[in-house]
Amino acid sequence: DNWNVMQWRLPRVMAAAASGLMLAIAGTILQRLSANPMASPEVLGISGGCAIALILGIFLLPAPTNFTLIGVGTLGAFATLLVLVGINRKSGYLPERLLLTGVAVSALFDAVRSVMLAGGDPRGQQVIAWLAGSTYYVDITNAVVVGGIAAVLALVTLPFTRWLDILPLGAATAKALGVTLNRARLALLLLVALLTACATLVVGPLSFIGLLAPHMARLVGFSRAGQHLLGAALIGMLLMVLADWVGRQIIFPYEIPAGLVASLIGGAYFMWGLRRL
């Protein structure tokens, strides 16, 4: 009996934990890179850009596989990052301008989603199911793949901890300490794009874990880059698994998708965070 239960629950727990890990690391990198406590993949529109690409992939490609969609989503996330970088380069990446650009991308995503779903295409149901961020359709193979990708990307992040310690000190200090700013920013933004695309594929474009987990890790007392990444990753995993569990239990036998539960928690936290600014 226990094994039967595990067959159903283990893939969902693995997928939720892996996506929480990736969003938390992406959010931590963005917050340290921009020195902006309100930066996250969701708020900056990176998840929205990834979502636009995924919706277009579902509608335009014949029978796309998960790996194809990950590739398309990564391109969408990276294209959004290039737009953010291009628009904000002259201003020196001011937090206010970055957030406004993110709001614009999110508005564009909402418009594209509405147009795609207004036509009554049967594939719209697949898009709606994905947008909700449910782990319901994840099987053990997908869970292992997502978990493996999350582990690899987390390990890839480790060599960048020196940059992440130095970059919040400002451009002048970073240059004085030998960091090539353009190369460092581009490498870190590409890593954020990969993390966001893979996580968004599992839990949808809005979960706010990328905003919430780095904040909570900082509140606990993790300040150095390595500690901050580890703390945020653990908190992100815990929050996403908790959101999946709450979504299954709160109105049993019906379900609320994990992505929506995490968005409810994250949205409330975001409003509270804005009140404190």
Side-chain angles (χ1 to χ4, degrees):
D1 286 345
N2 286 340
W3 171 242
N4 288 334
V5 171
M6 286 295 286
Q7 283 185 90
W8 291 103
R9 291 196 176 170
L10 186 62
R12 297 183 60 165
V13 170
M14 283 177 67
S19 55
L21 170 82
M22 289 187 282
L23 285 172
I25 290 175
T28 306
I29 291 171
L30 277 176
Q31 286 184 19
R32 298 189 77 91
L33 183 61
S34 63
N36 177 8
M38 301 312 288
S40 80
E42 300 89 1
V43 178
L44 288 181
I46 296 168
S47 292
C50 176
I52 290 171
L54 281 167
I55 290 174
L56 291 172
I58 288 170
F59 273 84
L60 300 178
L61 297 174
T65 64
N66 279 348
F67 289 108
T68 307
L69 289 176
I70 286 175
V72 169
T74 303
L75 286 174
F78 192 54
T80 309
L81 279 169
L82 289 178
V83 170
L84 283 169
V85 170
I87 291 173
N88 293 284
R89 181 176 286 166
K90 283 186 180 177
S91 72
Y93 305 100
L94 284 173
E96 298 84 4
R97 280 183 64 104
L98 277 168
L99 287 171
L100 282 172
T101 313
V103 169
V105 172
S106 298
L108 179 64
F109 157 60
D110 286 336
V112 170
R113 178 182 63 182
S114 300
V115 168
M116 290 291 190
L117 297 181
D121 192 300
R123 287 169 296 186
Q125 291 302 316
Q126 185 185 353
V127 173
I128 291 169
W130 168 73
L131 287 173
S134 177
T135 55
Y136 186 77
Y137 298 105
V138 176
D139 59 24
I140 191 68
T141 308
N142 290 339
V144 169
V145 169
V146 172
I149 290 171
V152 168
L153 291 176
L155 289 172
V156 168
T157 309
L158 294 178
F160 296 113
T161 49
R162 179 176 174 271
W163 286 353
L164 293 172
D165 269 324
I166 293 170
L167 286 170
L169 302 175
T173 308
K175 281 181 181 175
L177 291 169
V179 175
T180 311
L181 281 178
N182 287 345
R183 191 179 68 182
R185 282 174 177 157
L186 192 64
L188 288 168
L189 289 174
L190 177 57
L191 184 56
V192 166
L194 282 167
L195 287 160
T196 304
C198 294
T200 300
L201 190 67
V202 181
V203 291
L206 274 179
S207 69
F208 288 106
I209 296 295
L211 176 70
L212 197 56
H215 264 277
M216 294 179 79
R218 210 178 273 279
L219 285 173
V220 171
F222 297 121
S223 55
R224 293 292 299 272
Q227 298 172 344
H228 196 192
L229 283 166
L230 179 62
L234 292 173
I235 290 167
M237 290 167 72
L238 185 64
L239 284 171
M240 210 66 227
V241 171
L242 181 66
D244 187 53
W245 181 82
V246 169
R248 283 204 312 267
Q249 300 296 329
I250 197 165
I251 54 169
F252 184 84
Y254 303 104
E255 287 195 24
I256 303 175
L260 288 184
V261 176
S263 296
L264 290 170
I265 298 167
Y269 179 86
F270 188 34
M271 296 297 289
W272 177 72
L274 284 173
R275 184 183 60 79
R276 290 176 66 228
L277 284 179

